[in-house]
């Protein structure tokens, strides 16, 4: 096993930059050209590209010294750099002068509710939350907010190992709204950084439903005098669009739509909204037709559907109001429903043109004027290729081809995509199968389900989440499946019913089912089908492992399907949604009143037959430790054997303890799923190679 551990460590996601080269291109536009930086085995290289001619020229790195991000400094800077905004003593400070003076704890300016703030230990280490502001085009005025959470119940956390190494534990209290609780509220105002003038927006205090609209790009300026805000009501049953006069603060509801389940303004509630507005026209996203599509409104009245069909709009790339067309990314125009394609449509609904012919997943970045598109496309079997396209989809020039030489040398092998039937026997579900470098089809391999059961994200497709590209075709940053495979496991990654990026019906399968039992049934069905087709998959040795929602799915799986799953590693789960953030249960079960204990695994504790490892952080103020300890308490009450590791000072990720936690997972799977003893005294480099 020693060599297997070494190979697993070599393919940890932290090694991405040293193993994967020329795979990611992020364009920085400057006038009629752009530059980008790309990794190579010999270090970064920079190129400037001139789209009109297709010229690509090697240049010196123009990036210069990178300024510390707002998440470190706690400061937001205006366009042009004339003004800085920070929060001090619960008040707003502009260019080091107090702009407000009546802020107080729990009723402060500029910051989100406690739910959206950095973890306690991050703040202890010096991280400051930047204020939530959106600057007007004039670079002088900005919209911000004041939060009131004084009425919200609190959560108490004990820090056993304080940073000052005191033997006396610290006690921390934060506002933590659970389903049915009173929610924090916010009010918004517009401040003039030059004059100090303040305009309060004439909208009653609104409850937080998933952070603040300001933190989710749901507030934007059309011009210096017009502001828009998109708001999701409690339980996300409705989306409401306000138009605000920035001179007076007057606000009107221009458009509102309700849904019997979740009124999404993008394919998932964690993405930026696919809504745009100009003047009296609104480009609106809705899945009312059964698929996520675009609709055009004028003066609050529907004019026409812009897109339609059994596929969905995944992202808005560029809206040209004058030319009356929109460029967007679709999902479903290919052999795999999750592959994205660049498309164009007329705002009058005259039709959709697919602009990228390659049957692959396309990650698109547009020029500010919408004339040019940087497209990085890939499949599990085809490494990323980056090209520059014009507005017709034609390739102007090829920019990069990924170099995976070092990755393959480290033992990585491309995952195998598969399609099987869901537990209903008719619905197609998709996934990836990761096998070890020394895979031999004549041998038998234990199966590990690397799980995240939704319902707000997926596991086996490339996506861009809040500006960050995620590529599970390579090193799988969400679950590390290629690394686990090197232990000698066949690792499956599956997105069953109840997860997003398919039809409304496919996603709604998890609504009102907080345990997402239908999705777990699909995992069971998929694993059995794969084993029937592949004799090297050993159905007598099936494990499951996941973090956060994946931890929850793991506990649910071993309790609800003990005939299949014999080993589980559950990390930092939100096991009983009645004790988790209100946003979760209220969105996926409905606003109160509801029975938010429904689907809890606690009453099933007596069904445990599998070997189970529970992992969590003592300072996790997301899936707080009481959630894991309640599972432990139920298992103890049922007199069941299990293992547990609580990590001091760890938040929802394990930080400096990550290497130890990962090694404990490997050891557990090696003993109980593979059936061997772990290598003695093996230690994963706690810096994951960063110290070399």
């Amino acid at each position: 096993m020693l060599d297997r551990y070494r190979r697993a460590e070599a393919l940890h996601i932290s090694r991405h930059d040293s193993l994967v080269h020329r795979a990611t291109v992020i364009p920085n536009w400057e006038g009629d050209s752009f530059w980008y930086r790309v990794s190579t085995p010999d270090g970064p290289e920079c190129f400037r590209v001139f789209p009109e001619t297709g010229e690509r020229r090697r240049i010196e790195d123009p990036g210069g010294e990178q300024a510390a991000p707002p998440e470190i400094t706690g400061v937001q800077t205006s366009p042009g750099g004339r003004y800085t905004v920070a929060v001090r003593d619960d008040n707003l400070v502009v260019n080091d002068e107090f702009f407000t003076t009546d802020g107080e704890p729990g009723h402060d300016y500029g910051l989100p509710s406690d739910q959206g703030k950095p973890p306690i230990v991050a703040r202890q280490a010096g991280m400051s939350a930047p204020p939530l502001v959106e600057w007007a085009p004039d670079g002088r005025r900005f919209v911000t907010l004041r939060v009131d959470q004084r009425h919200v119940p609190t959560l108490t956390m004990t820090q056993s190992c304080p940073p000052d190494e005191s033997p006396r534990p610290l006690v921390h209290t934060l506002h933590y709204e659970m389903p049915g609780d009173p929610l924090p509220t916010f009010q918004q105002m517009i401040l003039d950084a030059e004059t100090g003038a303040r305009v309060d927006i004439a909208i009653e205090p609104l409850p937080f439903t998933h952070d603040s609209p300001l933190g989710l790009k749901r507030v934007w300026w059309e011009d210096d005098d017009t502001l828009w805000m998109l708001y999701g009501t409690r339980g996300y049953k409705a989306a409401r669009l306000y138009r605000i006069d920035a001179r007076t603060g007057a606000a009107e509801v221009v458009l509102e739509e309700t849904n019997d389940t979740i009124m999404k303004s993008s394919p998932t509630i964690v993405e930026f909204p696919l809504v745009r507005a100009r003047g009296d026209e609104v480009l609106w996203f809705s899945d009312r037709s059964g698929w996520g599509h675009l609709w055009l409104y004028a003066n609050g009245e529907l004019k026409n559907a812009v897109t339609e069909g059994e596929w969905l709009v995944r992202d808005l790339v560029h809206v040209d109001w004058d030319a009356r067309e929109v460029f967007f990314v679709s999902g479903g125009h290919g052999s795999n429903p999750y592959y994205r394609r660049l498309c164009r449509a007329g705002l009058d609904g005259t039709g959709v043109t697919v602009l990228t012919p390659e049957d692959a997943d396309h990650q698109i970045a547009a020029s500010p004027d919408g004339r040019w598109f940087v497209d990085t496309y890939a499949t599990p079997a085809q490494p990323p290729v980056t090209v520059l396209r014009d507005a017709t989809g034609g390739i102007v020039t090829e920019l990069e081809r990924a170099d995976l030489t070092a990755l393959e040398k480290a033992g990585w092998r491309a995952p195998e995509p598969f399609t099987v039937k869901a537990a209903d026997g008719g619905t197609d579900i998709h996934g990836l199968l990761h096998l070890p470098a020394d895979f031999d089809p004549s041998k038998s391999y234990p199966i590990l389900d690397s799980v995240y059961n939704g319902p707000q994200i997926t596991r086996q497709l490339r996506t861009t989440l809040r500006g960050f590209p995620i590529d599970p075709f390579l090193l799988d940053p969400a679950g590390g499946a290629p690394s686990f495979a090197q232990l000698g496991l066949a690792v499956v990654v599956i997105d069953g019913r109840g997860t997003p990026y398919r039809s409304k019906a496919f996603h709604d399968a998890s609504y009102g089912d907080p345990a997402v039992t239908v999705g777990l049934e699909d995992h069971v069905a998929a694993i059995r089908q794969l084993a029937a087709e592949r004799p090297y998959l050993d159905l007598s040795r099936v494990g499951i492992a996941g973090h956060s929602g994946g931890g929850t799915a793991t506990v649910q799986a071993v309790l609800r399907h003990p005939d299949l799953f014999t080993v589980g590693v559950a990390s930092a789960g939100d096991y009983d949604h009645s004790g988790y953030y209100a946003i979760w249960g209220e969105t996926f079960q409905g606003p109160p009143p509801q029975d938010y204990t429904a689907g809890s695994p606690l009453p099933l504790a007596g069904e445990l037959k599998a070997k189970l490892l529970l992992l969590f952080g003592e300072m996790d103020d997301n899936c707080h430790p009481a959630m894991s300890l309640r599972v432990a308490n139920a298992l103890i009450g049922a007199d069941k054997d299990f293992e547990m590791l609580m990590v001091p000072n760890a938040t929802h990720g394990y930080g400096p303890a990550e290497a130890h936690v990962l090694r404990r997972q490997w050891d557990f799977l090696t003993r109980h799923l593979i059936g061997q003893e772990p290598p003695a005294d093996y230690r994963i480099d706690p810096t994951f190679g960063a110290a070399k």
Side-chain angles (χ1 to χ4, degrees):
M1 288 300 297
L2 180 59
D3 286 342
R4 292 193 176 281
Y5 270 50
R6 287 170 174 164
R7 289 200 297 268
E9 185 175 358
L11 288 181
H12 186 265
I13 184 58
S14 62
R15 305 296 173 88
H16 178 278
D17 291 348
S18 63
L19 298 176
V20 178
H21 302 296
R22 299 190 179 277
T24 303
V25 172
I26 300 176
N28 301 276
W29 288 90
E30 296 175 347
D32 59 358
S33 68
F34 68 90
W35 67 271
Y36 68 89
R37 183 185 297 108
V38 67
S39 68
T40 79
D42 300 318
E45 293 179 355
C46 293
F47 296 89
R48 184 170 293 278
V49 180
F50 300 87
E52 293 286 359
T53 64
E55 180 186 2
R56 172 177 171 271
R57 183 188 305 166
R58 178 82 178 269
I59 61 173
E60 295 296 319
D61 193 329
E65 185 176 348
Q66 299 297 307
E71 290 76 16
I72 299 298
T73 64
V75 174
Q76 295 280 20
T77 303
S78 68
R82 290 181 61 193
Y83 306 104
T84 60
V85 182
V87 175
R88 189 182 305 158
D89 298 330
D90 305 309
N91 284 285
L92 286 167
V93 176
V94 178
N95 286 1
D96 290 326
E97 294 186 5
F98 278 93
F99 254 47
T100 63
T101 57
D102 58 338
E104 58 179 305
H107 195 202
D108 48 352
Y109 286 91
L111 297 180
S113 67
D114 287 352
Q115 179 192 47
K117 290 177 181 175
I120 292 167
V121 295
R123 282 177 271 163
Q124 287 177 323
M127 180 179 288
S128 299
L132 296 172
V133 303
E134 190 67 32
W135 292 94
D138 61 17
R140 193 184 77 187
R141 289 176 301 161
F142 61 92
V143 58
T144 189
L145 80 169
R146 189 182 191 187
V147 173
D148 189 354
Q149 52 186 343
R150 294 171 295 179
H151 54 286
V152 176
T154 58
L155 179 75
T156 300
M157 302 186 70
T158 301
Q159 187 176 23
S160 299
C161 302
D164 64 359
E165 299 184 354
S166 167
R168 191 179 300 276
L170 293 179
V171 175
H172 302 273
T173 301
L174 65 153
H175 298 94
Y176 193 106
E177 60 277 13
M178 297 177 185
D181 282 344
L183 302 182
T185 60
F186 67 94
Q187 290 184 290
Q188 296 181 134
M189 67 273 322
I190 298 165
L191 297 176
D192 190 318
E194 183 173 302
T195 67
R198 170 173 169 167
V199 175
D200 290 321
I201 295 175
I203 301 175
E204 71 281 3
L206 294 172
F208 276 84
T209 50
H210 185 34
D211 209 329
S212 156
L214 273 166
L216 296 169
K217 292 191 181 297
R218 289 174 170 246
V219 177
W220 68 93
W221 295 82
E222 178 182 333
D223 53 44
D224 286 331
D225 296 327
T226 306
L227 190 67
W228 294 87
M229 182 182 76
L230 181 66
Y231 177 71
T233 60
R234 187 167 191 169
Y236 270 87
K237 287 286 192 177
R240 186 183 303 151
L241 182 65
Y242 294 87
R243 178 166 48 200
I244 300 160
D245 186 330
R247 296 164 298 186
T248 65
E252 60 174 328
V253 177
V254 173
L255 188 58
E256 183 170 4
E257 183 177 345
T258 61
N259 197 306
D260 55 347
T261 54
I262 304 171
M263 180 57 217
K264 300 187 290 287
S265 296
S266 59
T268 75
I269 66 167
V270 297
E271 293 175 286
F272 297 142
L274 307 187
V275 174
R276 303 291 185 270
R278 189 180 77 162
D280 293 323
E281 289 191 302
V282 175
L283 187 61
W284 185 256
F285 178 91
S286 169
D287 63 5
R288 72 184 71 154
S289 68
W291 295 82
H293 281 296
L294 299 174
W295 309 76
L296 185 67
Y297 284 78
N299 296 306
E301 300 294 328
L302 177 64
K303 292 183 67 176
N304 56 264
V306 177
T307 62
E308 59 183 352
E310 292 188 355
W311 51 273
L312 74 159
V313 175
R314 289 275 301 271
D315 196 10
L316 282 179
V317 178
H318 182 75
V319 181
D320 192 327
W321 295 100
D322 296 323
R324 310 303 294 169
E325 63 183 8
V326 55
F327 293 87
F328 62 92
V329 173
S330 72
H333 280 121
S335 62
N336 186 308
Y338 298 111
Y339 285 174
R340 296 169 292 178
R341 306 286 274 272
L342 176 65
C343 303
R344 181 181 63 236
L347 289 179
D348 61 358
T350 50
V352 171
T353 302
V354 178
L355 301 177
T356 48
E358 300 86 358
D359 189 15
D361 181 71
H362 295 257
Q363 182 176 302
I364 304 294
S367 63
D369 60 7
R371 294 181 60 202
W372 314 100
F373 303 92
V374 175
D375 171 19
T376 301
Y377 62 91
T379 70
Q382 177 186 320
V385 176
T386 302
V387 298
L388 175 67
R389 298 183 187 270
D390 61 23
T392 71
I395 295 178
V396 176
T397 187
E398 182 177 302
L399 301 176
E400 300 291 344
R401 282 183 177 264
D403 177 0
L404 305 185
T405 304
L407 184 67
E408 292 169 340
K409 186 177 180 180
W412 174 87
R413 57 182 289 153
E416 174 190 340
F418 61 82
T419 303
V420 294
K421 294 300 181 183
D424 64 4
T427 305
D428 283 345
I429 60 171
H430 300 262
L432 297 173
L433 173 63
H434 297 260
L435 297 168
D438 58 354
F439 169 69
D440 181 347
S442 68
K443 295 183 178 179
S444 178
Y445 291 86
I447 304 166
L448 178 67
D449 186 350
S450 178
V451 66
Y452 194 102
N453 205 27
Q456 88 289 16
I457 60 174
T458 53
R459 271 294 319 277
Q460 50 88 27
L461 68 154
R462 294 167 88 226
T463 187
T464 302
L465 190 60
R466 300 191 182 181
F468 297 97
I470 300 172
D471 193 344
F473 295 175
L474 298 176
L475 281 181
D476 184 29
S483 179
F484 278 98
Q486 301 313 307
L487 298 177
L489 300 168
V491 183
V492 294
V493 178
I494 304 164
D495 289 311
R497 289 170 297 164
T499 54
Y501 300 123
R502 299 281 293 274
S503 68
K504 173 176 167 57
F506 191 97
H507 194 199
D508 281 353
S510 61
Y511 190 79
D513 177 19
V516 197
T517 54
V518 67
L520 286 178
E521 290 165 1
D522 289 348
H523 281 241
V524 171
I527 290 169
R528 293 193 184 281
Q529 289 171 69
L530 288 172
E533 300 167 357
R534 297 163 173 81
Y536 54 81
L537 297 180
D538 186 354
L539 266 185
S540 70
R541 295 183 294 167
V542 181
I544 184 167
H547 177 75
S548 193
T552 306
T554 295
V555 168
Q556 294 281 6
V558 297
L559 294 178
R560 294 179 184 274
H561 300 280
D563 55 328
L564 180 66
F565 297 106
T566 60
V567 177
V569 176
S571 173
D574 52 322
Y575 301 105
D576 185 335
H577 296 152
S578 66
Y580 189 46
Y581 273 128
I583 171 63
W584 197 260
E586 293 190 6
T587 296
F588 297 109
Q589 287 179 257
Q594 301 284 339
D595 178 10
Y596 296 107
T597 64
S600 170
L602 302 183
L604 303 176
E607 302 299 318
L608 182 67
K609 298 178 182 177
K611 300 292 186 180
L612 177 63
L613 171 62
L614 292 176
L615 304 161
F616 59 98
E618 182 194 33
M619 292 302 295
D620 186 344
D621 44 16
N622 179 349
C623 295
H624 56 85
M627 305 190 76
S628 295
L629 289 169
R630 291 183 70 197
V631 174
N633 186 56
L635 292 172
I636 292 169
D639 197 20
K640 293 295 180 177
D641 293 337
F642 66 99
E643 294 186 27
M644 186 178 81
L645 173 64
M646 181 174 74
V647 183
N649 276 330
T651 60
H652 200 48
Y654 296 106
E658 181 183 353
H660 175 80
V661 173
L662 183 60
R663 197 262 301 166
R664 293 286 294 272
Q665 295 180 64
W666 292 358
D667 289 354
F668 192 83
L669 293 171
T670 297
R671 286 193 179 98
H672 300 298
L673 188 58
I674 297 174
Q676 296 186 31
E677 275 301 304
D681 300 321
Y682 190 88
R683 296 293 178 267
I684 298 173
D685 174 9
T687 71
F688 292 101
K692 295 179 180 178

